[in-house]
Structures are given as C-alpha cells and as structure tokens.
Amino acid sequence: MDTLELEQAIRENPTNLQNYLVYGDVLQERGDPRGELMALQHARLLNPQDKRLRGAETAFIAEEQEALLGQLVENLDSLHLDWHMGFIRSARVFGGASLSKRRPLERVLEELFDHPSSVFLEELCLGSFRWRRQTELTAAELLEGFAERFSGLRSLFLFDDSVEREGDVGGLFGPDCRLEVLSVSGALGLGASIEAPGLRELHLHHAEEEDMQASLEALASSELAGMESLSLWCPDGTEADEIWPALVNKKLRTLRVWNLEDGLPIVDKLLASSQLEQLEILDMSGCGLDGSAARTLLRSRGKLENLRQLWLDGNHLGEGDREALAREYSNLRAEEQLPVDEVLPYWSDGEEPSLLACKALAMLPESPFAEEALAYLRVAPQGGRMLYNRASLMMLEGRYDEALPLARASVGLPDPVFIKMAYDNVAIAHGYRGDFDTAIEIARRSLLVYPNKANPFAILIDALRHQRRMEEALREVERGQGCVDGTPEGMALLQDCMLTYVVDGNPAAALRLYNAFLAEHGAPRGTLMACASIVHSHLGDRASAHKCLHRAEEANCRDPIVEHATACLFALQGKQKSARLALERARKAGYPEMHLCLHEDPLLSKL
C-alpha cells in the first residue's frame, strides 16, 4: 500500500490505529518527526496514566514545533492544536495578537489546511471574534473561499459576533459534505437549505430573531435523516410555531431548546407526534413552561421511556409540579422556577420603580424591600445584569447557596449580552457547593456556544480536577491554554491550568506556562504570583517560591491563595504545624476546596 492509499485508508477509518502505525514506519524511515511523535502518542494511548510518556510527548512537540508546524509557529498565540497519532486532529483559531493585516485569518487558515501535519484534520473551531478585525474579507467571502475545505471536516464550529448578517454557511452543503457536527453562532446563517448526508449534530445560537427565523426555515426544508442532536438558543421573541416545522420528521436523540417565550406548544406537539421513540435528552430550560406542561409530561411518561435526562430549569413550575415530575422522571432537573405573577408594587405615587433604585435596595440584604426589589429585577429588561451583580457579590462573600438562585434567574432574563457571564456564575456556584457534575455540564454547554471563552474552561478544569478525573482535566487544560491572556479571566484560567499540572505531579509544565505568560504579558497580578510560588514550592525551589510569595504580598494581594502558597512553602521547609495553620486560614477566608485538591497534592496531602 503506497502513501496516498494509506492516507485515504486513515481518513475513511480514523479509529483503525494499525493504518497509522504502518504510515508511521514510513515516516520514520524518511526522518519525518511525525513518525516519532506517532510512536510516542500510540504508547500514550496504550498507557494513558503514564506521566513519563505524557511528559515526553509534551516535550517532543515543544522541541520539534518548527518542524511539525512550519510558519504556523508564528501564530501559536491564535491557535490551539490537538495532536493525535502524530498529526493535528483538531484546531481552534481565535483572535490572538498575531492575526493582523500582515498575517490575516485567511492566510493562517490556508497554511493550516495545506500543512502536512493537518492531512487528517477533523475538527475546526473558528471564533470568537469579528471577522473584520482579523481579515479584510467579509464572512461570506471567507466562507466561500474555504467552503470545500470546511465541508471536508467532521466537526466545524463557527462564531461571528458581528451585529449584522454578513454571510451564511450554505456553500458548505452538498452531496460530498462530510460534516457530522456543525455549530453556528452569532450573525451567520444556515443558508436556504441543508444538504449534509452525515450531519448528526447541529447547534444554533442567534442573538437576532430574524437570523433564527431564517435558520429555522432552512431546517424545515431539509430532510437530515441522520441528525440525532439539535440545540437551539432562541433570541427574544421566538415563538414555538416558528420552531415546530424545523422539528418535523427529525428522529432526534437529543433536543435542547433554550429561552423560548412559550414552549408548551412544542411539548404538546412532540408528545402527540411519533418522534419520541429514541429521544434520550430533552432540555427546555427557560421556555416559559408551567403546570400545564408538567401535567402533559406526566400523562405521556410512557412515550418517553428512553429519556435519560430532562432539564426544565428557569421555567414556571410550582413545587407540586416539580415533586410530581421527580417521581416519574428520576433524571429530572428543574431548578430556579420563577412565579408567573412576580411583580413589584409601585414605590410611591403610582410611579414605576427605577432599575437603579431596585439595584440599590437589592444590594442591601437587611433592607425590608430587598426581596421585592429582586422580584422586580427578574422581570425588568435590564434586570439580568443587576441580578448577576448581586449574585457575584454574594459569591465573593462565600455565600454560594444564596447566590445560586439569583445566578440561575439571571440566565433566563432578556439581557442576551450578559448570558455568557450569567452562565459562568451558575456553574461556579454549583462547583463551590460541591455539585461538580452540574458545574461540568453547564460549563460544557457554555463552551458549545462560546468556544473561546476563558471562564467556562476554568470552571470545567476545576471541577474535573476535584473529581480526580485528571485525564479529562489535562485535555481541557490543553484546549483552554489558547484562551489565556492578560485579562482577569485569562489569568484566572492560567492559574487553574497551573494548579492542575501541580496536582498531576508535573509542576515543570506549570512553570513553562507561567514563563510563557511573563514573556508575552509581563508581570501578572498578585494571585498569579502566589500561584507561581506554589509551583516553585513543588519544584523544591525555596528561593523562587519565597520571592514570588513576597511579590504577591507586596502587591497587597488579599486572595486566600496567598495562604495556600504559604502552606506549600512551610510544608517544603518541614514546618507542618505552620502549614496546617495557613491552610486553616485559607479555608476560613473562603478558599474553595476545589482549588486545594489536598487529596492529590504531593506537598499538602499529609497535613
């Protein structure tokens, strides 16, 4: 079998490792570094817990990056690459500083697709940025120029956060389209119809009602017999009657519809149809469902015999409705239900209260009007961000149980610009309360819509680390590193990546990340210097650990991570009692156990 035949065999059956190994032998004979990387990664697949192999793989990619990537090395601040069996399996391109008029987006994409390391590229995530900032082409021109390349992938995630529609993805579709997973967000449309024989999973998130209507019409006119999963984030104003035609004759296993004003017609029509035989996941969070929907679901339990997950967060279900549903659906999740008649009396003289007045009252827990003010915020047009601010303050004070209902309420309110931050609050609150499974689920849902956002990666990594799911956590660390930057969110993510490497027994990798950040962004904030002190302590470098801790204290850093760093330095010095006292101070200051991970920390696990 010659080289071209081997490549074709691998494309047709990417799970058959034997074809890779034969190809790897050919590459090693030619002195191609991809052959050696393939051998390393195959050994890792056979021994996934072997930290020595993991370190050897990471070091090899770093040492040989110019040979493996060519000119793409110039854009590593805008790329995250996932390697599998010696080749790039997935790539994420985001708005890093190296994308410019000198090296515009289209040039980087051409180099990526043309590079020998990308011959088996299966997944591409493009976004989140405005096209015009990174290229002089319109979105339509870019999509047209790369339509053939994009349609040859298995998974494609496109995010365009420009305000006006500049293009659609219609040119990707056709009889030769290989796409199995497609996510379209922002102002990009689907086009007139979809011809993608292998499409299994589709995610749509539009901020404008007009864009969603166009996409729903395209779905309604397309057969898509193989589609198993559909997710729709509906902009304000979307009605159930607009959605239903897009669902007809779709044999779905997963259906997620979020932020619909009145989802009851969807429930009624679904249960009256013959489309439920294989439905396993139904998520209709924030869809205005009330007791009528609950009664319909109860009557039709027998039709949903394969349902594994039912999510009805942020609706209008009463306590009795939830209890009755929970008895029939053991997998039910229905948190933060909002009473339909939740309104606030006028403050005086029949005048409607201002948002600022409500915010001021709501931020004072002792105020007799606090609950009424919060109730009004839940129904006000800009109430979402007010509730978000209130939840954020509570979380800073460590009041996660109280913050969670407010955070969940802010997600379902008509303030779409704030949705991404509201979701972060919900996930963080769940994680800090010990509900890691929910935190992980919400963070992953958020990343489907915002694939280049630092906060969901940080939340996901934290929760996975706390559950000792280190292989998954390390994969997310690799995926999320591209979102590290000089913003508070980017530095918080870097901190979580570094702590994960420390817990995994690889502080050297954490130090490399930190040094790369210093080279690009300069001196960080105090919390990151405290984290660097933790890393140096685990490397046995007392002088550097003390120096970083001293700098964090000089920066007046009051975050409890300083006590964590102090405990590590004391433990390194053999001062166990002092280390325990520092840990106790960290806990009393509200430092989350999910950051400590004492059960895995080689320095602190014996305290």
Side-chain angles (χ1 to χ4, degrees):
M1 187 180 293
D2 63 24
T3 302
L4 293 178
E5 289 175 331
L6 276 171
E7 290 179 357
Q8 185 60 31
I10 291 172
R11 287 194 194 93
E12 291 176 355
N13 189 2
T15 61
N16 186 340
L17 297 184
Q18 190 58 40
N19 290 331
Y20 276 105
L21 295 175
V22 174
Y23 193 29
D25 290 340
V26 174
L27 294 177
Q28 288 201 46
E29 289 175 4
R30 296 176 180 174
D32 190 317
R34 280 175 287 269
E36 186 173 348
L37 179 57
M38 191 181 294
L40 272 172
Q41 293 191 314
H42 181 247
R44 279 269 288 119
L45 288 173
L46 298 177
N47 302 278
Q49 304 300 324
D50 192 318
K51 296 179 181 179
R52 181 186 60 81
L53 285 173
R54 184 191 304 155
E57 175 193 354
T58 302
F60 184 85
I61 292 174
E63 291 168 4
E64 299 289 339
Q65 63 179 13
E66 290 191 9
L68 292 170
L69 294 173
Q71 288 185 305
L72 288 171
V73 170
E74 297 182 35
N75 288 92
L76 285 181
D77 74 321
S78 302
L79 289 170
H80 173 74
L81 306 174
D82 177 32
W83 295 84
H84 172 70
M85 291 299 288
F87 292 85
I88 300 171
R89 178 166 57 182
S90 69
R92 294 171 57 243
V93 186
F94 43 92
S98 65
L99 285 180
S100 63
K101 297 288 180 67
R102 185 179 65 83
R103 286 184 62 77
L105 175 62
E106 62 269 24
R107 179 175 169 185
V108 173
L109 287 175
E110 286 172 359
E111 292 173 359
L112 175 65
F113 279 114
D114 291 339
H115 199 280
S117 291
S118 302
V119 67
F120 303 127
L121 185 66
E122 294 185 353
E123 178 179 301
L124 176 66
C125 175
L126 197 57
S128 144
F129 45 77
R130 288 185 170 88
W131 303 101
R132 294 300 183 86
R133 293 179 183 174
Q134 320 297 344
T135 173
E136 294 183 350
L137 301 180
T138 65
E141 291 169 338
L142 191 73
L143 288 167
E144 181 181 358
F146 288 91
E148 185 176 348
R149 303 286 190 95
F150 288 167
S151 65
L153 300 168
R154 293 184 183 272
S155 301
L156 179 63
F157 298 81
L158 296 171
F159 189 104
D160 173 28
D161 62 358
S162 57
V163 177
E164 298 180 358
R165 171 78 68 82
E166 289 189 343
D168 59 55
V169 298
L172 306 182
F173 306 126
D176 297 326
C177 179
R178 297 178 65 243
L179 285 173
E180 296 179 10
V181 180
L182 175 63
S183 178
V184 179
S185 301
L188 291 173
L190 278 182
S193 63
I194 306 170
E195 186 179 4
L199 192 65
R200 296 182 294 101
E201 194 173 321
L202 178 64
H203 306 270
L204 294 176
H205 181 185
H206 295 304
E208 300 296 330
E209 186 179 1
E210 182 182 352
D211 295 335
M212 179 57 81
Q213 287 178 344
S215 292
L216 290 172
E217 289 172 6
L219 269 175
S221 64
S222 308
E223 290 188 11
L224 299 175
M227 190 166 68
E228 299 178 349
S229 177
L230 176 63
S231 300
L232 303 173
W233 181 282
C234 305
D236 295 336
T238 306
E239 298 182 359
D241 289 342
E242 297 170 334
I243 290 179
W244 178 250
L247 303 182
V248 174
N249 297 324
K250 305 292 192 301
K251 300 293 186 180
L252 300 172
R253 294 183 183 275
T254 298
L255 174 61
R256 301 183 190 275
V257 182
W258 303 317
N259 199 41
L260 195 61
E261 289 190 0
D262 180 13
L264 181 58
I266 293 291
V267 174
D268 288 339
K269 291 178 179 180
L270 265 178
L271 294 172
S273 72
S274 59
Q275 297 181 217
L276 300 176
E277 297 174 2
Q278 66 275 23
L279 193 65
E280 298 177 0
I281 298 174
L282 177 61
D283 183 350
M284 294 192 68
S285 296
C287 285
L289 301 180
D290 56 16
S292 298
R295 290 188 288 274
T296 301
L297 288 165
L298 289 169
R299 287 194 305 270
S300 306
R301 182 64 179 101
K303 294 183 177 181
L304 294 165
E305 58 184 14
N306 292 318
L307 200 67
R308 293 188 293 103
Q309 185 182 94
L310 177 62
W311 277 40
L312 301 174
D313 291 345
N315 285 294
H316 305 305
L317 303 175
E319 189 61 33
D321 298 325
R322 284 194 285 176
E323 290 176 358
L325 284 169
R327 286 193 293 269
E328 292 295 327
Y329 296 89
S330 60
N331 46 30
L332 173 71
R333 177 183 170 79
E335 296 193 3
E336 192 50 36
Q337 303 301 308
L338 307 174
V340 179
D341 59 349
E342 201 170 53
V343 293
L344 177 67
Y346 295 155
W347 292 113
S348 62
D349 301 326
E351 294 182 1
E352 189 169 343
S354 73
L355 283 174
L356 289 177
C358 288
K359 178 185 177 183
L361 287 164
M363 297 296 275
L364 297 172
E366 296 79 13
S367 166
F369 301 106
E371 288 305 314
E372 293 179 282
L374 289 172
Y376 181 74
L377 293 179
R378 290 189 175 102
V379 296
Q382 298 297 314
R385 75 184 58 201
M386 302 300 184
L387 282 174
Y388 169 84
N389 290 338
R390 171 75 166 140
S392 297
L393 181 65
M394 286 180 168
M395 290 167 68
L396 286 173
E397 296 170 349
R399 297 159 59 195
Y400 302 110
D401 289 338
E402 297 173 68
L404 183 59
L406 303 184
R408 295 207 66 83
S410 68
V411 170
L413 293 175
D415 199 354
V417 175
F418 232 58
I419 287 293
K420 61 181 79 173
M421 289 183 283
Y423 256 120
D424 293 344
N425 258 4
V426 175
I428 291 169
H430 275 291
Y432 285 2
R433 293 168 74 239
D435 185 1
F436 301 113
D437 289 332
T438 302
I440 289 167
E441 171 70 18
I442 294 173
R444 283 182 167 151
R445 279 169 56 175
S446 184
L447 285 170
L448 281 175
V449 180
Y450 305 105
N452 295 304
K453 192 165 179 291
N455 275 347
F457 272 116
I459 296 162
L460 184 56
I461 290 165
D462 258 347
L464 289 170
R465 186 175 70 236
H466 197 84
Q467 289 191 327
R468 307 190 191 192
R469 294 159 64 178
M470 292 305 297
E471 281 294 314
E472 293 177 72
L474 289 165
R475 282 200 297 272
E476 299 303 335
V477 166
E478 291 296 317
R479 289 181 60 217
Q481 285 177 26
C483 300
V484 169
D485 55 26
T487 65
E489 294 80 9
M491 286 189 280
L493 173 58
L494 175 59
Q495 180 176 311
D496 286 310
C497 292
M498 291 168 64
L499 288 174
T500 302
Y501 278 133
V502 167
V503 170
D504 191 53
N506 191 5
L511 185 60
R512 284 196 295 271
L513 276 184
Y514 180 70
N515 288 337
F517 178 90
L518 291 182
E520 184 170 353
H521 300 287
R525 62 182 185 178
T527 53
L528 201 50
M529 286 189 280
C531 187
S533 175
I534 294 170
V535 171
H536 283 299
S537 289
H538 283 79
L539 287 168
D541 187 348
R542 295 187 188 183
S544 296
H546 187 274
K547 182 178 179 181
C548 287
L549 182 57
H550 180 63
R551 287 181 176 177
E553 291 169 342
E554 279 187 333
N556 200 27
C557 178
R558 298 182 180 180
D559 192 284
I561 194 175
V562 172
E563 297 293 354
H564 184 179
T566 302
C568 288
L569 186 54
F570 278 139
L572 179 63
Q573 295 169 340
K575 300 176 181 178
Q576 304 299 314
K577 183 177 179 180
S578 297
R580 280 192 289 271
L581 289 173
L583 283 179
E584 189 59 31
R585 290 195 298 272
R587 289 193 178 99
K588 287 182 178 179
Y591 194 59
E593 289 289 331
M594 62 193 297
H595 287 342
L596 286 169
C597 273
L598 298 183
H599 48 262
E600 297 286 349
D601 190 303
L603 268 181
L604 305 179
S605 57
K606 297 179 181 179
L607 295 181

